[in-house]
Amino acid sequence: MKCGITETVKQDDVYYFVQWSPLCKADKYDIISRVPSLAGVFEIYWMDEKKRLRLFVVGQTNYGGLRSEIRRITDPELCKNDENAKKILEEKEIWYRYAPTDSANIMADVIWFFMQTYFPEKENNKHSGRYENVFLKESAPDKLLWVP
């Protein structure tokens, strides 16, 4: 199955299905050739000493696309303002996955769902407001277990 996000609407509820790309180790040359220059959502992880993935960034991108945003976020040379992030990028293995979509509303709902799930104590983003309830199911070619 091709990676991406599908949407099913039933009355005031929306059901998203996120089919992730394969999990890939971040390499600037590989990102340029592998990641499409499309809008979408992405997750970036770093590998700890026990070989467990830890969530680093969950985000979305419209302009410039997934390729340029994943490339920018995973390159320690481009990380200027956050010394902690730069240290992780320099010292750890970085991994990423993505799911393209060209809908800003879908991205808003999916990122809102992830933020509510991963970081319920933070209330810094909003869903599209189109639906009363947002549900989400994920699938990935890799068995991904990460540590918050």
Side-chain angles (χ1 to χ4, degrees):
M1 179 182 220
K2 197 168 113 174
C3 64
I5 303 172
T6 58
E7 169 187 56
T8 303
V9 177
K10 294 182 181 175
Q11 296 176 349
D12 291 335
D13 299 339
V14 64
Y15 299 82
Y16 292 110
F17 179 70
V18 178
Q19 176 64 50
W20 290 108
S21 69
L23 190 63
C24 295
K25 187 175 177 183
D27 171 81
K28 60 184 169 184
Y29 303 109
D30 188 50
I31 291 169
I32 290 168
S33 64
R34 179 181 303 239
V35 178
S37 188
L38 300 171
V41 299
F42 59 89
E43 292 182 337
I44 298 174
Y45 301 88
W46 60 275
M47 180 115 23
D48 70 12
E49 298 76 24
K50 295 181 180 179
K51 300 292 183 195
R52 296 180 300 189
L53 292 174
R54 296 191 176 262
L55 185 63
F56 186 58
V57 176
V58 59
Q60 68 185 44
T61 181
N62 292 315
Y63 305 108
L66 291 162
R67 178 185 306 148
S68 61
E69 191 68 3
I70 291 171
R71 167 76 177 86
R72 182 187 68 76
I73 291 173
T74 60
D75 190 337
E77 293 176 12
L78 300 176
C79 185
K80 306 271 188 230
N81 299 328
D82 187 342
E83 287 302 316
N84 290 333
K86 184 173 183 168
K87 185 175 180 179
I88 288 172
L89 293 172
E90 289 173 340
E91 297 177 2
K92 306 294 183 185
E93 279 186 15
I94 307 299
W95 296 77
Y96 68 90
R97 65 183 185 173
Y98 58 87
T101 180
D102 59 359
S103 169
N105 285 325
I106 289 174
M107 285 187 278
D109 289 343
V110 169
I111 292 297
W112 174 84
F113 185 92
F114 287 148
M115 295 303 284
Q116 293 297 316
T117 303
Y118 302 159
F119 311 106
E121 69 282 358
K122 295 182 181 179
E123 291 191 36
N124 55 358
N125 68 320
K126 296 180 181 182
H127 57 77
S128 69
R130 299 178 301 158
Y131 307 106
E132 189 172 324
N133 297 299
V134 175
F135 301 96
L136 188 141
K137 183 176 179 182
E138 300 175 84
S139 181
D142 321 282
K143 290 188 177 185
L144 175 63
L145 297 174
W146 61 271
V147 178

